[in-house]
Amino acid sequence: MKIYLSQDAVARALGADEVAAELARHDVELIRVGSRGMTWLEPLAEVEIDGVRHAFGPVTVSDVPALLAGTLDGHGPTEEIPFFANQTRLTFQRCGVIDPLDLDAYRAHGGLTGLERALDMDGLGVVEEAKASGLRGRGGAGFPTGIKWETVAKAEADQKYIVCNADEGDSGTFADRMIMEGDPFSLIEGMAIAGVGVGATKGYVYLRSEYPDAIRVMKAAVEVARANGLLGASLLGKGPAFDMEIRVGAGAYVCGEETSLLNSLEGKRGVVRAKPPLPALEGFLGKPTVVNNVISLATIPVIFEKGAAHYANFGLGRSKGTIPLQIAGNVKYGGLYEIAFGLPLGEIVNDIAGGTRSGQPVKAVQVGGPLGAYFAPHQFDTPFGYEEFDGAGGLIGHAGLTVFDDTADMLGMARFAMEFCAVESCGKCTPCRIGAVRGVETIDRIAAGDMAAKELLTDLCETMTDGSLCALGGFTPYPVMSAMTLFPEDFAGAREAAE
Amino acid sequence: MQANSPASAPDLGAIQEVIEAYTHLEGPLLPILHAMMEAFDHVPEDAVQPIADALNIGRAEVHGVISFYHDFRTLPAGRHIVKICRAEACQALGANGLADAVLTRLGTSWHGTTPNGAVTIEPVYCLGLCANGPAAMIGDKVVGALDEAKLERVISEAGA
């Protein structure tokens, strides 16, 4: 009997290891895989029946006898579950399917085809292919990946670097974690292709310390890649040199900002650098550096495997390809949902996520992490795309959606946004360092009934937006102002009754 | 994460050994500080000068880096560190009330240690379990779908 069991952090956090220990006491072939992304079913066990994987979950230790006897109620073939079947899985094609550290399985499922193809091209060809795919930075800024690569490729230097930003600190996002735990070779292959494209021989993954499982899997995957000649003195034994290291962050949210990240990687305080110079020209240790998000880099292999045109065929307007939506917070069906850009927000929240877990009406959805705007149900026709969300006064960020039911206190959420900014500010620029503290105080005045403080808060937010060096201070006004604008009743100063 | 006994200050030889394992890296300071945390559960004051000497930077720079990051502490914490997520997605599932209740019962506050020295409670902003909150981390093990009873059980298993 062949059973696949998720070893993703979500599954482990919900008892998958205990289930695995129980299964190990029986005569089963147990394969630990990444997550299929349907996290409300975790720990998800899949039993192979006539070559088709059938889903059972959430599975507990006490379910094991029934699971083995074939009497446990399941969900049918995993890939026919509507949440899964309706996706377009490109970046996440192997996640949850294979043993994350099995390089042969990776190859058998299309892995390394992209790198092989890239090695047949010259650097310029690789950069052109990335440009033609229309891929934009999935970390949130949405800058075209190929154009960033072109800048680094054209820079003259004795050493260049590929740095992967795996400091996925935004609440409501976990796509980076999931792909690193479930298909780490896709990130390694993507970084190697980037190295071929720009002429870099060294890569770093800056991975946050809050992700111990991802750190363990990525470190192990680099070892496997090295031992099998994927990485090292010559990529796959026929390409240029490329090797990489996994570096662990130290709990500073601001290090997800690329220049802070570079300082941190160099062993400094994670303080934001002024731009210019662009990291593409003067990045890690002053050398030309590609800094890309995990999902951007992990999407590169499938672009090279299937061709830029195939990837660019998906999407909406200038938002090409697919986006791994991360559906989080108070939802019935949460998890990772990869789909072409363009779905209306309401369809994601109401149809795919099935509304709230609590069963209460949806009050607000924060899109794009702690620096993203709140959306109210009357904005649910906004299509999921970079320009479309920008036009609606928000941003898609790293594509996390955090759903709140009608018990949410939006003044409290606005206050939290300012408080978070104050805790995590690197301190370099005044609007962020001081502004966030003043923001908390001003929101407390509104809560106490001082309505004149609303104008003050608006003014403060404008200053932070215009005057901050990076997105931490510059975007904190998104959640604050959207909360105040969309939910004025929560800012009416009658907080005593609510508490 | 194993709870070491931090009662006596680590000796300089042990500190030097940790430093030397990483000086060949590009940008070795964070790896060194993480290794200090791993070995001693904190970054000992006695390590600052040797680190500064090894990397040819000033004591102030080393101190500046240690104090910048939430992960590095200069004094030993409780035997176990429990990090409770305070970020938005967990708040949407009641993390605030959960944390308040637990802190009240333990008689401590954020960053505080229980009187028996067993558990230090730290806030954390996102563990990436955002569809399965509220979430927390004990040592390097993450737990999800917490309610008061489950979190209390996890903390009492840690000895509080």
Side-chain angles (χ1 to χ4, degrees):
Chain A
M1 192 171 188
K2 204 170 183 178
I3 297 180
Y4 298 85
L5 180 68
S6 172
Q7 62 171 0
D8 183 271
V10 166
R12 299 185 69 218
L14 299 171
D17 287 353
E18 289 75 9
V19 173
E22 182 61 25
L23 284 170
R25 297 177 49 224
H26 298 84
D27 182 27
V28 296
E29 185 189 347
L30 179 64
I31 300 167
R32 298 299 295 271
V33 294
S35 176
R36 292 277 199 168
M38 298 177 281
T39 62
W40 77 95
L41 295 178
E42 296 288 8
L44 176 74
E46 293 174 86
V47 180
E48 196 168 282
I49 303 169
D50 300 329
V52 176
R53 284 156 71 163
H54 289 243
F56 298 86
V59 172
T60 61
V61 171
S62 57
D63 290 330
V64 168
L67 180 73
L68 297 174
T71 54
L72 188 66
D73 280 339
H75 311 282
T78 311
E79 297 187 357
E80 290 176 19
I81 297 172
F83 188 97
F84 192 90
N86 295 333
Q87 298 186 43
T88 301
R89 287 212 157 199
L90 298 179
T91 309
F92 282 80
Q93 58 179 332
R94 284 172 295 263
C95 192
V97 177
I98 61 167
D99 172 350
L101 295 176
D102 184 343
L103 192 55
D104 292 330
Y106 180 72
R107 203 186 276 272
H109 285 80
L112 299 181
T113 314
L115 178 59
E116 299 270 7
R117 197 171 149 239
L119 290 176
D120 289 336
M121 302 175 172
D122 59 2
L124 189 66
V126 169
V127 169
E128 285 305 320
E129 186 77 0
K131 276 165 71 180
S133 73
L135 178 67
R136 293 167 66 177
R138 296 288 187 250
F143 189 81
T145 304
I147 291 177
K148 193 182 270 185
W149 288 15
E150 188 170 42
T151 308
V152 177
K154 287 183 175 166
E156 293 285 337
D158 54 348
Q159 176 72 56
K160 300 177 186 178
Y161 294 101
I162 309 297
V163 171
C164 172
N165 183 345
D167 198 41
E168 185 181 48
D170 289 351
S171 173
T173 67
F174 44 82
D176 296 356
R177 182 186 62 65
M178 205 168 264
I179 198 98
M180 288 188 289
E181 291 174 7
D183 193 19
F185 294 125
S186 65
L187 175 56
I188 294 172
E189 185 182 352
M191 290 179 70
I193 294 172
V196 173
V198 307
T201 54
K202 183 82 202 239
Y204 288 95
V205 178
Y206 185 92
L207 216 172
R208 64 199 296 262
S209 62
E210 292 87 344
Y211 284 177
D213 293 283
I215 293 167
R216 182 177 44 78
V217 177
M218 280 307 305
K219 283 188 168 170
V222 168
E223 290 298 323
V224 172
R226 235 179 243 149
N228 287 277
L230 164 55
L231 293 172
S234 169
L235 285 167
L236 293 175
K238 57 183 169 183
F242 189 81
D243 208 338
M244 57 190 279
E245 275 179 46
I246 310 301
R247 287 292 176 89
V248 180
Y253 173 77
V254 75
C255 289
E257 197 282 332
E258 62 176 356
T259 61
S260 306
L261 185 154
L262 291 169
N263 275 338
S264 184
L265 200 57
E266 290 179 7
K268 299 173 181 156
R269 292 164 68 88
V271 173
V272 175
R273 297 177 184 172
K275 289 192 273 194
L278 293 172
L281 298 173
E282 290 180 39
F284 182 56
L285 300 173
K287 303 292 184 186
T289 304
V290 169
V291 185
N292 280 155
N293 168 257
V294 173
I295 298 300
S296 311
L297 287 164
T299 301
I300 292 295
V302 72
I303 289 172
F304 279 75
E305 176 196 346
K306 300 194 169 157
H310 179 263
Y311 189 77
N313 250 341
F314 296 97
L316 167 78
R318 290 175 52 214
S319 305
K320 305 256 192 234
T322 57
I323 181 83
L325 302 170
Q326 297 129 82
I327 302 170
N330 194 336
V331 287
K332 204 166 169 190
Y333 306 119
L336 184 133
Y337 194 95
E338 184 178 352
I339 190 78
F341 281 98
L343 274 191
L345 178 58
E347 195 177 324
I348 300 167
V349 173
N350 293 323
D351 301 344
I352 297 170
T356 62
R357 187 194 302 178
S358 61
Q360 301 282 107
V362 173
K363 178 168 182 175
V365 183
Q366 188 178 27
V367 183
L371 307 177
Y374 287 98
F375 281 75
H378 73 265
Q379 298 166 297
F380 274 10
D381 56 354
T382 311
F384 208 88
Y386 292 101
E387 279 70 30
E388 292 72 15
F389 264 63
D390 186 44
L395 49 101
I396 65 169
H398 191 45
L401 301 99
T402 302
V403 177
F404 293 82
D405 73 8
D406 61 356
T407 61
D409 162 22
M410 300 312 293
L411 179 137
M413 297 316 297
R415 187 185 190 281
F416 177 79
M418 283 293 191
E419 188 190 348
F420 180 71
C421 182
V423 170
E424 296 297 336
S425 175
C426 81
K428 175 137 173 166
C429 68
T430 317
C432 174
R433 184 184 68 244
I434 308 283
V437 178
R438 294 288 172 264
V440 172
E441 295 165 1
T442 310
I443 292 171
D444 284 344
R445 280 172 57 182
I446 298 171
D450 178 359
M451 289 302 107
K454 283 179 157 184
E455 195 186 330
L456 205 57
L457 183 63
T458 307
D459 190 50
L460 175 67
C461 282
E462 277 173 23
T463 303
M464 289 176 72
T465 302
D466 296 339
S468 298
L469 263 180
C470 84
L472 180 50
F475 287 6
T476 293
Y478 273 111
V480 174
M481 289 307 297
S482 59
M484 187 160 76
T485 310
L486 293 170
F487 307 96
E489 65 280 10
D490 287 7
F491 288 74
R495 292 260 287 160
E496 290 76 12
E499 286 194 356
Chain B
M1 202 174 293
Q2 288 302 309
N4 295 321
S5 164
S8 57
D11 69 80
L12 285 175
I15 288 172
Q16 205 60 44
E17 211 171 290
V18 170
I19 296 172
E20 278 162 16
Y22 297 93
T23 43
H24 66 286
L25 298 178
E26 294 179 312
L29 185 48
L30 259 64
I32 288 173
L33 295 175
H34 275 302
M36 292 285 169
M37 292 294 299
E38 183 77 18
F40 312 121
D41 268 1
H42 68 296
V43 182
E45 178 60 32
D46 287 349
V48 174
Q49 188 66 53
I51 293 172
D53 291 343
L55 305 186
N56 197 24
I57 56 179
R59 279 180 65 89
E61 272 181 82
V62 178
H63 172 77
V65 171
I66 294 170
S67 59
F68 184 85
Y69 296 97
H70 299 305
D71 282 5
F72 303 135
R73 49 176 69 242
T74 50
L75 292 171
R79 288 190 296 280
H80 300 272
I81 297 178
V82 176
K83 295 181 176 177
I84 303 175
C85 182
R86 286 194 65 204
E88 288 87 347
C90 283
Q91 288 192 42
L93 291 166
N96 287 343
L98 178 70
D100 288 348
V102 168
L103 289 171
T104 303
R105 196 192 63 80
L106 293 176
T108 186
S109 53
W110 291 116
H111 309 289
T113 301
T114 53
N116 66 1
V119 174
T120 298
I121 305 285
E122 295 279 0
V124 66
Y125 299 94
C126 197
L127 296 165
L129 311 180
C130 313
N132 302 74
M137 180 153 88
I138 293 87
D140 62 1
K141 181 176 166 51
V142 286
V143 285
L146 294 172
D147 53 24
E148 233 174 282
K150 194 171 166 189
L151 182 54
E152 297 244 337
R153 194 168 67 240
V154 165
I155 291 175
S156 60
E157 278 166 11

